[in-house]
Amino acid sequence: MNRFGATILDADGLRLTSEEKAFFKDVKPFGFILFARNIDTPDQVRALCGDFREAVGYDCPITIDQEGGRVQRLRAPIWREWLPPMDFVTAAGPQAERAMYLRHRVIAHELFALGIDSNCAPMVDVAGDDTHDFLRNRCYGTDAVTVSALGRAAATGLLDGGVLPVVKHMPGHGRATADSHFDLPHVANIKNDLQGHDFAPFKALCDLPMGMTAHLVYSDIDTAPATLSKPVMDVIRKDIGFDGLIMTDDIAMKALSGDLGDLSRQALHAGCDVILHCNGTLAERCRVAEASGEMTDAAQTRAIAALNARKTPDEIDISACDAELEALTGG
């Protein structure tokens, strides 16, 4: 098998341009990510996924952010609308674990039918009193045990539907009081406190095939953002025990400052396996791809293991799932 490029990239529109096709053929990114600008009709999404795979010449993973609530790229009237995760969990009450499994099994069913075989979920950041609004209602709960159980249910629902889960944001974004899309949050809590709370759900889900980093500083561990920090990546690999493929959160988010090529090299040097780059120009994608190069031996091994975790969806009655979800959440 050819060596994968150490990138996950996006596209400008509903179908690939000739320039994008030539670029992707050349740099062979490990996978791709879709946004609302890439979504119109089911047939169009399937055709775009086909464009991606034809360009790179293999059955590459194609991911999306389909959490529900504010963060979902597939929307009504064609696809289901979902409550924000925190509201959904509250509505389901004691049946939240079953409801989260069904929610993500149905999400997987919708994604798989389009050729999308990865989802940037579960998000197992533990919410606190000061969690920034951009994140809070995307969380599953306020204690690590609950979040771990609901994260496992979500991941299992996706896997049963043929979709790879991407657990995020490692090693925990819940204490952030700033929006990392625009600012760099700092967390001052000591490492021992973090291990029993923020890090715990990631440890509980350390067998999942893929994970995504957090763009925030854990000042008790390092002065660099987690995505660029070898000490934080060591926590993820050694203390948490995660040996899946680790992608960065979007390397172009404003929490990180500097040249995209330099940031990509720093993240890979810190221990990330693959650079996620979103919402940039083709020239910016080129810079990121050139700086990132091909995967290391270790990253390639993890990437192949992630691809091998994809499976044929199990048989399911979607209308029965919808009816059970309606009963569990009170509609």
Side-chain angles (χ1 to χ4, degrees):
M1 180 180 289
N2 293 331
R3 188 62 62 96
F4 303 125
T7 51
I8 295 173
L9 303 175
D10 61 347
D12 285 338
L14 301 177
R15 296 294 298 269
L16 294 188
T17 65
S18 57
E19 291 82 3
E20 287 174 328
K21 289 178 181 179
F23 169 61
F24 294 145
K25 182 178 181 180
D26 181 44
V27 302
K28 287 189 166 41
F30 171 65
F32 296 93
I33 186 167
L34 298 175
F35 290 91
R37 67 178 180 274
N38 307 122
I39 308 294
D40 184 20
T41 67
D43 285 345
Q44 169 269 318
V45 177
R46 281 188 284 268
L48 178 59
C49 290
D51 287 348
F52 285 133
R53 292 182 171 121
E54 182 180 2
V56 297
Y58 78 99
D59 189 17
C60 62
I62 297 173
T63 197
I64 196 167
D65 289 294
Q66 192 71 359
E67 297 176 12
R70 282 180 296 114
V71 183
Q72 65 174 82
R73 312 304 182 200
L74 305 177
R75 309 213 74 116
I78 299 174
W79 297 282
R80 289 166 179 77
E81 290 284 338
W82 298 98
L83 284 173
M86 184 79 81
D87 298 342
F88 179 85
V89 168
T90 300
Q95 302 300 318
E97 200 168 330
R98 173 65 177 166
M100 283 293 273
Y101 171 84
L102 291 169
R103 172 184 173 118
H104 287 83
R105 182 61 188 85
V106 172
I107 287 173
H109 179 77
E110 292 194 327
L111 298 182
F112 193 84
L114 300 172
I116 303 168
D117 57 4
S118 173
N119 188 15
C120 295
M123 197 195 82
V124 295
D125 303 319
V126 182
D129 292 341
D130 297 323
T131 301
H132 193 280
D133 285 346
F134 99 94
L135 194 76
R136 183 173 174 81
N137 73 351
R138 297 165 59 193
C139 297
Y140 301 170
T142 56
D143 70 276
V145 173
T146 297
V147 170
S148 298
L150 296 178
R152 174 65 66 185
T156 303
L158 292 171
L159 285 165
D160 285 352
V163 171
L164 291 174
V166 180
V167 61
K168 64 186 185 185
H169 303 87
M170 304 183 81
H173 211 310
R175 295 184 196 254
T177 57
D179 183 347
S180 53
H181 292 87
F182 304 104
D183 300 293
L184 178 60
H186 287 72
V187 172
N189 300 73
I190 63 172
K191 184 178 175 183
N192 286 344
D193 289 346
L194 295 168
Q195 284 177 324
H197 187 73
D198 302 63
F199 300 171
F202 297 97
K203 191 164 189 173
L205 301 178
C206 68
D207 58 310
L208 292 183
M210 298 172 69
M212 177 187 288
T213 63
H215 292 334
L216 73 167
V217 172
Y218 301 90
S219 56
D220 193 51
I221 303 173
D222 195 12
T223 57
T227 301
L228 310 179
S229 168
K230 190 174 188 312
V232 175
M233 294 303 297
D234 285 344
V235 167
I236 293 171
R237 292 298 190 197
K238 296 173 183 176
D239 297 359
I240 290 173
F242 187 83
D243 194 38
L245 187 81
I246 295 181
M247 71 173 74
T248 68
D249 204 345
D250 177 13
I251 203 73
M253 283 166 61
K254 292 181 174 58
L256 305 182
S257 58
D259 175 78
L260 289 173
D262 290 341
L263 291 171
S264 300
R265 283 185 285 268
Q266 290 174 50
L268 294 170
H269 180 72
C272 295
D273 295 312
V274 63
I275 305 299
L276 175 67
H277 177 253
C278 312
N279 302 313
T281 64
L282 184 57
E284 288 170 333
R285 286 181 220 138
C286 289
R287 289 215 309 277
V288 169
E290 182 180 4
S292 303
E294 293 183 336
M295 285 187 173
T296 64
D297 290 345
Q300 181 86 4
T301 297
R302 294 185 186 112
I304 292 170
L307 295 180
N308 289 340
R310 295 185 293 192
K311 64 180 187 179
T312 302
D314 58 5
E315 293 292 328
I316 193 164
D317 183 337
I318 290 296
S319 60
C321 289
D322 285 337
E324 186 177 354
L325 274 169
E326 184 97 359
L328 290 174
T329 61

